Amino acid sequence: MKNKQKGFIPVMLTPFKDNGAVDYDGLSRITELNIEAGAAGLFANCLSSEMFELTPQERIDSVKHIVNIADGAVPIVATGTFAGTVAQQADFIKRIYDTGIEAAIVITGLMAEETEPDEIFDNNVFKLIALTPDIPLGFYECPEPYKRLISPAQLKRFVETGRVIYHKDTCLDINLIKEKIEATKDYEQFGLYDAYMVHAVESLKAGSAGLSCIQGNFFPELIVWLCNNYDRPELQQQVVKVQSFITRNMEPMHEVYPIVAKYFLQKRGLNISSFTRRDVGRFTPDVKQRIDVLYNEYYQLRAELNLTFEIA
């Protein structure tokens, strides 16, 4: 997770069987394909994983499965905070860390109520740090239960403890991203990963450690390509084209997600169901048509980039 080489940290999907059970064979293949595509790490048990719809034991079991399949190929982070007191959240962090992950991720919206001030949030975070000695941590500004953003000054205070190594940023504000990067630039153990692909290239150029976005659940190799080539002068025309492709296709990729991502991966040859436990809306014929158009457009783009990675 060190901020040395730009990397893509995919937010892992949880495949389910049609009866709603976790599909561990499918989870093995998703883990493998992300590593094969060149991911620098994996974010397991996150919102894309439908973490709030998993039981506590399923969270542990799925993360442990991903760790076993990855077998040390890349570092893995996973959410460790859910409902309960700070002490209860610390206890689950210890359980999830024992699966073999690199860092346990803290959901910012669970460290204080939405109406509570930053002082309470900060106190709870420092209490959590004290209750989880020697466990590396990270933050995720998750949209649920509500999106609580961390300011640059707050982030610096947490990072300078030496315990925070990862931050998945969802502020959607490139200027705020730059402020956070500037505030934490002296801490080599820490990396900020941007979730918002509309300003992906600008974020990478500003110094973010990489990208951690849902678009990687459609075409992980494209996000890896962008992280590897965003600053190569001879490829700037292609970089602009990739950024434009992602930006104009944001809406169809977010509509009834993660169903659309699972369907897209099916089209690419991955044998998984599109079943989800989350109520994200209906996968209508119109939504399907938009994803089919995205699929065709992507394959035209990858031909121009000479991308040969395939999912099977």
Side-chain angles (χ1 to χ4, degrees), residues 71-207:
D71 195 24
V74 295
I76 297 166
V77 302
T79 303
T81 58
F82 293 91
T85 65
V86 174
Q88 288 171 326
Q89 296 190 53
D91 286 342
F92 195 77
I93 280 178
K94 294 171 185 176
R95 288 185 64 195
I96 206 88
Y97 186 67
D98 284 345
T99 63
I101 59 174
E102 182 89 357
I105 304 304
V106 177
I107 300 298
T108 55
L110 290 171
M111 284 292 96
E113 298 294 334
E114 189 168 7
T115 56
E116 291 180 326
D118 285 344
E119 181 182 3
I120 292 178
F121 174 85
D122 291 0
N123 288 340
N124 285 340
V125 170
F126 285 120
K127 181 178 179 180
L128 187 72
I129 289 173
L131 289 171
T132 55
D134 302 324
I135 296 179
L137 301 174
F139 292 110
Y140 174 20
E141 296 169 335
C142 183
E144 296 184 21
Y146 71 96
K147 185 190 287 192
R148 189 178 193 111
L149 300 180
I150 299 177
S151 74
Q154 286 176 297
L155 187 59
K156 181 179 180 180
R157 288 197 297 273
F158 300 142
V159 171
E160 66 187 5
T161 66
R163 293 282 305 284
V164 176
I165 68 170
Y166 173 93
H167 176 65
K168 176 179 164 66
D169 198 285
T170 67
C171 73
L172 315 183
D173 183 337
I174 188 59
N175 292 320
L176 189 54
I177 291 283
K178 291 177 180 178
E179 290 179 27
K180 292 182 183 181
I181 292 169
E182 176 65 23
T184 57
K185 66 180 181 181
D186 295 329
Y187 303 93
E188 287 193 355
Q189 87 280 4
F190 173 74
L192 181 151
Y193 291 81
D194 201 346
Y196 192 44
M197 289 298 293
V198 168
H199 57 226
V201 173
E202 191 173 0
S203 178
L204 291 167
K205 289 181 176 179

Side-chain angles (χ1 to χ4, degrees), residues 217-234:
N217 286 326
F218 296 79
F219 23 71
E221 70 278 20
L222 183 64
I223 312 303
V224 170
W225 183 94
L226 195 61
C227 288
N228 290 341
N229 297 296
Y230 74 96
D231 61 346
R232 291 180 60 181
E234 72 276 18

